[in-house]
Amino acid sequence: MTERTYVSPFLRQLLAVSGVVMYMIGTGANIAFPGVLLQQLREPDSVLRLTAEHESWIASILGLALISGIVVAPFSLQKLGRKLTNQLSSLPALGGWALLATAKGPTALLISRSLQGFGMGIQAAAAPVSIAEYSSPKNRGAFLATIAFSFATGMLIAHVFGTLLYWRAAALACGSVYALSLLLVSLTPETPPYLASRGRNDPCRKSFRWLRGFDHNSEKELEILLNSQKKAPVGRKVSKCTAYMDIARKPEFYKPTVIMMFMFILFQVSGMTVVPSYTVPMMDEVSGDTSAIDPRVSMLMVDVVRFVTAVFSCFVVNKLNRRTVLFIGIIISVISLLVAAMLLYLRDFGYIPEAYHWAPIIPTMVYIFGKTLGILPIPWAIAGEVFPLEYRSLGSGISGMFLSVMFFVVVKTAPFSFEQIGVKGTFCVYAGAIAICGVFLYFLLPETKGKTLYEIECYFKGVKGDDGHVELHEGEKMLELEKVECG
């Protein structure tokens, strides 16, 4: 089937993805905003006075609120669809930023952060699923890598606005991205896989062709998608508990869940959310008390390195294998963290001249580069690919639970860690945790680059196709799939 289209499929997919990207920019701003908010509230003329306990809760409560959003997300994704879930998740985020901008006390700040976290929780499950289902295999890697770009952009925006503007005005500026997200999401159709899973074949064809065009390969993929969702005959009825136990025993469900558990633990223990929340005090110690580098300048240096690397990662993830990018990021992060910690210890013992007390900044920036290149984008790319369509909502919700719990634990304990063992000790802990997660993922994670979502599903099921076969590379546990249609 052929038909002339005046807008390329790539641009249509880009429009569909852009609404989710804008939301994730807001998420990056949510994570980073305490770094400037708390700094301004510590000023002597601040209208709000916070205790150290208030500060740690304002930075970490997003993690607890994420849990509530993630609990809701699987049901919303399954019952309401990807598009409506994306739209509804914007509302608590908008309300949270509005309340933050008008807050009169610590309680209002905590409530506003909770609203932001609730919306983030829903979107943490919805974003990778939505982007993966909107994208063709050719573009999926780059589009999923835009989640990393979005985080970095949001963090940069929050710190720039928070440096240049009063915190109330900065909150309104950061919150405005959710209004743009809501508009862009409203302009795009529902994802084809969701429509297929609900038996809405005609709307599915219309949405798929709007996104992917009418070429032969796309039409073949469309028919495979529709055929894969034909309902089997209804068997005996079982309780929900039994049904969930049956799902948990299926390799296409538990294998991706274990992979994503380690992925999101890696994401958090790498300091992905700690660094934006506590950039100023961290960089204050790294740069040295006698350094001429202002901590706020160091904060913007971190943001710029993160942003430039995130832009670079969009191209890298689309060109190189997922595993390659991930393990490059892991290796760079571990080595640079250990080098930075060693330099900090040497400086404390007086082995580094005062004129070079700034030296730990260099490996710290390399660490920011490494984690942003591989550890930031790949978990989100994999999250959108590994779960089969039937369990995608549930799997995203469960794996997102690990993300939110680790978010709270890591960010809440960071001030205590900085106080008890210093930034240098914290760097050593993070390096060890990253290395441990990396070892597990080396043996668990298959390669998904260039595969259709249906091919990846077939791999985890271990099903041989009608006109091909599944091979597993023994050395690296990587997937090599022929073009198959599962029997």
Side-chain angles (χ1 to χ4, degrees):
M1 179 178 181
T2 59
E3 183 172 309
R4 182 181 296 275
T5 57
Y6 297 97
V7 180
S8 71
F10 173 80
L11 291 178
R12 292 178 183 271
Q13 292 171 42
L14 181 62
L15 174 63
V17 167
S18 62
V20 181
V21 168
M22 290 304 301
Y23 196 106
M24 302 311 283
I25 289 176
T27 294
N30 290 343
I31 295 170
F33 199 71
V36 289
L37 171 66
L38 300 179
Q39 199 68 23
Q40 289 197 30
L41 294 181
R42 294 187 190 113
E43 298 294 333
D45 59 347
S46 172
V47 296
L48 294 179
R49 310 306 303 178
L50 300 177
T51 65
E53 187 69 11
H54 284 145
E55 291 187 0
S56 69
W57 274 105
I58 287 171
S60 63
I61 200 170
L62 283 179
L64 286 181
L66 271 167
I67 296 175
S68 60
I70 287 172
V71 169
V72 171
F75 303 98
S76 179
L77 287 168
Q78 190 67 24
K79 300 297 183 183
L80 303 180
R82 296 14 172 177
K83 178 178 179 178
L84 187 54
T85 297
N86 288 328
Q87 290 172 315
L88 293 176
S89 66
S90 300
L91 302 182
L94 283 167
W97 280 107
L99 180 58
L100 193 152
T102 58
K104 303 296 183 183
T107 302
L109 289 175
L110 290 171
I111 294 173
S112 70
R113 298 284 289 167
S114 298
L115 287 171
Q116 293 170 354
F118 176 72
M120 283 173 56
I122 298 175
Q123 197 63 16
V129 170
S130 300
I131 292 176
E133 293 185 358
Y134 277 130
S135 309
S136 64
K138 179 182 178 181
N139 300 323
R140 193 173 65 238
F143 284 147
L144 285 167
T146 60
I147 295 179
F149 164 77
S150 304
F151 280 149
T153 303
M155 292 172 186
L156 177 61
I157 287 173
H159 286 163
V160 169
F161 284 156
T163 301
L164 300 178
L165 303 174
Y166 184 55
W167 62 270
R168 294 190 191 276
L172 291 176
C174 291
S176 64
V177 300
Y178 287 104
L180 182 56
S181 170
L182 182 59
L183 173 63
L184 291 171
V185 169
S186 300
L187 295 176
T188 56
E190 180 57 85
T191 69
Y194 174 77
L195 293 171
S197 71
R198 309 303 288 183
R200 300 171 59 187
N201 290 359
D202 290 339
C204 174
R205 288 189 175 91
K206 183 177 180 182
S207 174
F208 192 96
R209 289 164 179 159
W210 187 88
L211 290 162
R212 305 283 287 277
F214 298 83
D215 63 88
H216 174 73
N217 289 336
S218 294
E219 287 297 309
K220 182 178 179 181
E221 186 179 343
L222 171 59
E223 293 309 313
I224 291 175
L225 171 64
L226 294 173
N227 290 335
S228 71
Q229 296 305 306
K230 290 180 178 178
K231 303 299 181 183
V234 178
R236 62 184 180 88
K237 291 186 177 181
V238 296
S239 67
K240 286 188 176 182
C241 182
T242 302
Y244 283 128
M245 290 298 295
D246 290 341
I247 292 173
R249 286 192 289 265
K250 293 183 177 182
E252 65 267 31
F253 177 79
Y254 71 75
K255 287 182 180 179
T257 300
V258 172
I259 289 171
M260 289 314 307
M261 178 185 73
F262 281 105
M263 277 289 193
F264 281 142
I265 291 175
L266 171 67
F267 182 87
Q268 293 296 353
V269 299
S270 68
M272 199 62 69
T273 49
V274 169
V275 173
S277 299
Y278 299 105
T279 305
V280 171
M282 187 193 79
M283 294 305 296
D284 191 24
E285 181 173 339
V286 169
S287 59
D289 295 334
T290 60
S291 174
I293 302 177
D294 186 274
R296 290 176 179 80
V297 175
S298 299
M299 176 182 71
L300 294 179
M301 288 169 56
V302 169
D303 290 333
V304 170
V305 170
R306 185 190 295 117
F307 176 79
V308 172
T309 307
V311 173
F312 178 59
S313 72
C314 291
F315 299 96
V316 172
V317 171
N318 209 41
K319 294 295 183 182
L320 301 180
N321 290 338
R322 308 279 193 266
R323 284 173 55 94
T324 301
V325 177
L326 176 66
F327 292 116
I328 287 174
I330 288 174
I331 292 169
I332 292 175
S333 298
V334 170
I335 293 174
S336 57
L337 280 171
L338 293 176
V339 171
M342 180 186 69
L343 290 176
L344 288 170
Y345 278 114
L346 291 175
R347 189 179 70 187
D348 288 351
F349 287 116
Y351 291 108
I352 296 179
E354 185 174 334
Y356 297 98
H357 276 193
W358 52 267
I361 290 178
I362 296 176
T364 301
M365 292 302 172
V366 176
Y367 152 64
I368 299 298
F369 168 80
K371 73 185 181 73
T372 305
L373 178 68
I375 300 176
L376 177 54
I378 297 301
W380 296 100
I382 297 298
E385 296 176 326
V386 293
F387 289 107
L389 179 56
E390 186 177 359
Y391 314 125
R392 197 164 291 160
S393 301
L394 179 61
S396 297
I398 292 176
S399 59
M401 194 70 68
F402 285 97
L403 174 70
S404 58
V405 171
M406 290 302 300
F407 183 114
F408 174 75
V409 171
V410 173
V411 176
K412 188 71 172 69
T413 58
F416 177 80
S417 177
F418 290 155
E419 181 180 350
Q420 296 299 315
I421 60 177
V423 169
K424 50 188 175 294
T426 304
F427 278 3
C428 289
V429 171
Y430 288 171
I434 292 170
I436 291 171
C437 288
V439 169
F440 279 100
L441 288 170
Y442 181 83
F443 294 102
L444 293 173
L445 181 65
E447 184 54 59
T448 60
K449 181 179 182 293
K451 311 302 179 185
T452 68
L453 297 178
Y454 193 59
E455 286 175 329
I456 297 169
E457 179 178 340
C458 286
Y459 163 68
F460 282 113
K461 287 180 178 178
V463 178
K464 294 183 179 180
D466 293 337
D467 56 349
H469 61 280
V470 177
E471 292 181 354
L472 188 61
H473 191 285
E474 293 296 330
E476 299 181 349
K477 303 292 184 182
M478 297 172 68
L479 170 64
E480 292 293 342
L481 283 171
E482 304 287 347
K483 294 295 181 180
V484 299
E485 180 178 348
C486 286

